[in-house]
Amino acid sequence: MDTSDLYRDVTDFAHSTPGWVQSLAEIWTKSGLLVFGLLFLLVWWRARTRGDTAMALAVLAPLATAVAYVVSEVVKSTVHEDRPCRAVPGALAPLITCPAPGDWSFPSNHSVIAGAAAVALALAVRRLGLLTVPLALLMAFSRVFVGVHYPHDVAMGLLLGASVGALVAIALTGPIRRIIGSMRTSGVRPAALFTGPGPAPEG
């Protein structure tokens, strides 16, 4: 798959944007994944007063994302695709430093992480998908915009991350839910602090 022409179009567009747009893109592409980390914490805290399934999905969101990242690294070490900022002739310089040789391009780890986190968080709190999916798409686009990935790197990264994130979360919800239930009734204080009390009894 050759998306070099589209890569050049996007990077040409990036260089035509105002400096403040380029600066925001650089900040987002470097630090935007921290937003997903914050959302992991918020979803976990919310789940402490909800049912065992809600807590299981909250716990699984970062775990599924970590599994997706490991899968991405395995694919990277197999494919060995060079970065477009070195390989595409006639392309403008990237907005950020081109990663060192050996830091392979396919798939985009940032896109994999964003895709997995977006889906896993949406499974935990459905309406969060209205926020996490656009954030994941923005993260993926930013990796091409700043010049360090091909469009196919980020597209496949999103697909890989979303698929692995969903599969891990769905497959492990049952076992993790049972563990959460046991922790909540164990009487062990650290376990109770982590899982929370669950929903308040009715009546």
Side-chain angles (χ1 to χ4, degrees):
M1 181 183 300
D2 186 3
T3 55
S4 298
D5 288 341
L6 183 55
Y7 169 80
R8 277 189 290 263
D9 289 342
V10 173
T11 51
D12 286 351
F13 167 71
H15 278 269
S16 72
T17 59
W20 65 268
V21 173
Q22 296 178 22
S23 297
L24 285 177
E26 293 175 35
I27 293 170
W28 173 251
T29 205
K30 291 177 180 178
S31 306
L33 292 180
L34 296 175
V35 174
F36 291 102
L38 178 59
L39 289 173
F40 288 148
L41 290 173
L42 292 175
V43 168
W44 162 75
W45 186 258
R46 171 186 180 274
R48 295 177 75 254
T49 56
R50 283 161 172 81
D52 295 347
T53 298
M55 176 53 78
L57 288 168
V59 170
L60 281 167
L63 176 61
T65 303
V67 172
Y69 170 75
V70 171
V71 173
S72 177
E73 281 294 296
V74 171
V75 176
K76 269 182 179 287
S77 65
T78 302
V79 176
H80 288 184
E81 177 189 77
D82 201 8
R83 295 278 180 166
C85 39
R86 278 189 298 274
V88 176
L92 296 175
L95 299 182
I96 63 175
T97 303
C98 190
D103 186 346
W104 306 112
S105 191
F106 181 89
S108 161
N109 277 342
H110 281 70
S111 300
V112 169
I113 292 170
V119 169
L121 286 165
L123 287 172
V125 182
R126 186 164 299 179
R127 64 180 179 271
L128 258 185
L130 297 174
L131 172 64
T132 60
V133 171
L135 288 179
L137 293 172
L138 184 60
M139 174 56 68
F141 178 73
S142 76
R143 301 305 288 167
V144 183
F145 186 91
V146 300
V148 295
H149 277 291
Y150 290 100
H152 66 264
D153 294 338
V154 300
M156 293 306 295
L158 286 173
L159 181 60
L160 176 63
S163 300
V164 173
L167 286 172
V168 171
I170 292 170
L172 295 182
T173 297
I176 298 299
R177 180 177 60 232
R178 289 190 288 274
I179 292 172
I180 295 297
S182 297
M183 291 174 69
R184 280 178 164 170
T185 57
S186 67
V188 178
R189 184 168 176 76
L193 287 173
F194 176 75
T195 62
E202 294 185 4

